[in-house]
Structures are given as C-alpha cells and as structure tokens.
Amino acid sequence: MFSEIAKVIEKASDILIVTHLNPDGDALGSTVGFKLMLEKLGKRATVLLEKAPAPMFEIFGDNYTWGEPEGEFDLVVSLDCGDLKRLGECEKYFKGNTLSIDHHVSNTLFADVNHVEPDAAATGEIIYKLVKYLKVDFTPEMASSLYGAILTDTGGFMFSSTTEETHLAAGELIRAGADFYNLNKKLHLEKDYKRHLISAHAIENAIFSADGKICICLFDNALCESLDIVDEDLNGLAQVTRSISGVEAGVLITEITKGLVKVSLRSDEIVDVAKVAEAFGGGGHIRASGVRFRDADILKVKDMITEEIMKQLGAK
C-alpha cells in the first residue's frame, strides 16, 4: 500500500513539505507529523507555509517556515491538497521529484507519485498508517500532531467520515502520548471574544431557504472590514451553519478581499457538497468542500450556490 512512497522517501535526503492555502488543523497536523517522522528516519525535512499559521494552531509548535525555503531539496511533498493551484505561492517550489498524499476525492493527481485515500477521515490518518508501515516509533509530539489532524478534520469525531479505524488510530496516538485534552481544548472549545462575536453575527443574520434546509452566512467586504475580520477568524465558522437544527446544507460566504469570494460548504446526509463545489471549479469532500470566485459579486455567488444545492434537494 505504501511501498511506492517508502521507495521515494528512501531515495531522498532533503525534503520540502507543502500544503494548501490557509491550512486547517489536518493540513498543519499532518505536515508536522510527517516532518517529525522523516527526521526520525534521518532526513532533513522543512515545512513551508505562505505565512504564519493562525494563533489557534500554535499547539502544533514551531515546526514551520514561510517565505523562501533555505537549501536545495531532492523531494517535494504536498499533503492534504487536492490541486496544484491550492498550494498558492508554494506552487513555485513544487518541482523536481514530487509526491502527493491526500484524502480529497477531487484530487487531480498532480504529482509524480500520488497516494490518495478518499475514504480516510483525514490526511493525518493516512500519515498515521504510513508511520506504522515504516515502523517508526511515535513520539508524543508526533502523536499529538497526528491526533490534532484527525480531530479537526472529523469535527471532533462527529463527521460521517469517522470510522472504527479512525477511533483505533486516535486511541493508539493517545497511548503514544498525544496531548488529547489540550488539543481538544485549543482546537474545539476555546475561541477568543472576537471569534465569538463573529459567530453571533453569523447566526443572527443567517439566510434560510428551502424550508430551513439551507442556511447561508454572508460576510461581504464592507462587513469584513468593519469587523476587522482576517482569514483565521473564520476557522470552524462554516460548521456553525450546519449545526442549526433542520439544516441540511450550511454555507459560509466571505469576501475579506474585495472581489475574492470564498465559499465553504457543509452538509448533513443528503447534499454532496463536493459536487456543488466542483460545479464552480472547487472541490473537497462529500460533507465539507469549498470554492473561490474571483472578481465576483457576492450576492450572485450566493444565488448560484443556492441554486446548485437546490438541484440536489429537489431530487430527494
């Protein structure tokens, strides 16, 4: 299963690791866990981000660099990213020998070697299995990183992607020293006051349609500027839309930068939001996906997304 990855890693000595724009907990946790595994194997490994991660992810430590990486690399690895363009500025470093490890069903297989497991609950779960395959002993820091990756991408083990294997992996990572209490506290329970205010505004001004089955929270550029919203303030906010009783599809639409409209989609049991996102050039998972629109009118985007969701709801 991992034999080709093992061969690629064995031949490399200096490895660069990249992930998608505005990385979430799975992207960050899996890259850190992968880096620490490589270092145990005697490799030089660097995790490159476009910018410093959001403060809520400080629990993953200072295992990153941003800007221009130092040195030469004989292998570049993308984790938790389904498309080359989603690497943002890091795309220019994705060259030479390349490897992609991911769990997005929409992955475009853009690397020389691609390992995609759509049924995995998180990329962190794939890296957990890779560590075991390579017979590397988990350190507490490695275990914490991978547990945090799985924790965030399963919504605290609540999403339908969570399986028996997921729970068994989490249990083994806890035995290996994962700091599960603080990871749950920092990644799921705690929010600063500003983020609570933003969540309250989202709920208070939510737009409902399809007899309450669709909930949309809209933050246009003027509102984002008035509330001083930055990308990291919105982490986890899309799930708020889905948490309202009776909502089948929850949508968060934001315009932090004028004309750049970002859409995060979540669903319960009926709507395949990956198909909704793919209709506009985006992608992701059946229950959690996203898409971006450039030079777009946010209200028109809202109408297009609503119409696409309605096609699936109308067919049920």
Side-chain angles (χ1 to χ4, degrees):
M1 183 181 184
F2 291 113
S3 58
E4 193 169 10
I5 294 177
K7 290 176 184 177
V8 171
I9 291 174
E10 184 180 5
K11 293 177 182 178
S13 56
D14 295 280
I15 301 170
L16 182 67
I17 308 162
V18 294
T19 188
H20 60 75
L21 291 161
N22 301 317
D24 56 8
D26 187 23
L28 295 171
S30 60
T31 55
V32 172
F34 188 67
K35 173 183 186 290
L36 297 173
M37 179 199 73
L38 292 174
E39 290 174 344
K40 290 268 285 183
L41 291 169
K43 313 293 183 179
R44 184 177 79 92
T46 302
V47 177
L48 178 69
L49 306 177
E50 272 199 340
K51 58 182 180 180
M56 68 179 291
F57 296 122
E58 289 176 355
I59 194 166
F60 289 128
D62 57 354
N63 290 282
Y64 321 100
T65 186
W66 42 90
E68 187 172 345
E70 295 181 1
E72 299 293 326
F73 302 93
D74 47 21
L75 176 64
V76 184
V77 183
S78 167
L79 296 185
D80 197 46
C81 185
D83 184 274
L84 188 60
K85 294 191 181 303
R86 285 280 288 146
L87 293 174
E89 288 297 314
C90 294
E91 179 185 346
K92 61 187 175 185
Y93 302 109
F94 199 76
K95 56 188 178 182
N97 295 318
T98 58
L99 165 66
S100 169
I101 302 174
D102 186 30
H103 72 132
H104 293 92
V105 68
S106 56
N107 189 287
T108 59
L109 307 179
F110 55 92
D112 296 329
V113 176
N114 299 278
H115 182 92
V116 181
E117 294 187 32
D119 292 333
T123 298
E125 186 175 314
I126 302 173
I127 303 304
Y128 155 81
K129 291 188 289 185
L130 177 61
V131 173
K132 290 176 66 66
Y133 178 86
L134 295 174
K135 295 181 170 57
V136 176
D137 291 332
F138 289 104
T139 64
E141 187 180 9
M142 193 192 306
S144 289
S145 299
L146 297 177
Y147 181 92
I150 296 169
L151 175 73
T152 50
D153 238 32
T154 58
F157 304 98
M158 291 176 59
F159 294 167
S160 59
S161 58
T162 305
T163 64
E164 178 184 357
E165 277 193 1
T166 309
H167 284 290
L168 290 171
E172 184 167 352
L173 292 170
I174 290 172
R175 285 196 302 274
D179 187 5
F180 69 94
Y181 172 77
N182 280 312
L183 284 161
N184 277 279
K185 180 181 178 183
K186 294 294 183 182
L187 297 175
H188 273 288
L189 295 178
E190 283 189 350
K191 293 180 182 178
D192 60 30
Y193 186 59
K194 178 183 176 183
R195 291 182 68 208
H196 276 294
L197 288 176
I198 292 170
S199 296
H201 187 281
I203 294 297
E204 186 176 0
N205 295 276
I207 302 165
F208 293 92
S209 57
D211 296 323
K213 292 185 177 67
I214 301 174
C215 173
I216 297 179
C217 294
L218 204 69
F219 288 80
D220 63 18
N221 182 251
L223 180 59
C224 287
E225 289 188 351
S226 69
L227 296 177
D228 192 28
I229 293 175
V230 294
D231 279 321
E232 49 261 38
D233 293 327
L234 303 174
N235 282 315
L237 188 58
Q239 187 57 22
V240 171
T241 61
R242 235 303 292 132
S243 67
I244 300 169
S245 179
V247 171
E248 163 58 32
V251 186
L252 173 66
I253 306 178
T254 59
E255 186 189 22
I256 295 176
T257 302
K258 186 68 174 177
L260 176 59
V261 179
K262 300 179 184 180
V263 181
S264 296
L265 301 119
R266 301 291 184 269
S267 68
D268 189 14
E269 296 179 340
I270 300 173
V271 176
D272 181 343
V273 291
K275 290 183 178 179
V276 175
E278 287 165 10
F280 303 102
H285 307 294
I286 293 175
R287 301 288 169 242
S289 291
V291 61
R292 293 180 172 210
F293 297 83
R294 296 188 180 277
D295 301 318
D297 180 282
I298 193 169
L299 294 178
K300 289 182 179 179
V301 169
K302 174 185 74 69
D303 292 342
M304 291 190 296
I305 293 293
T306 301
E307 182 179 353
E308 197 64 31
I309 294 172
M310 286 295 296
K311 289 179 184 177
Q312 293 192 42
L313 288 176
K316 299 296 178 181

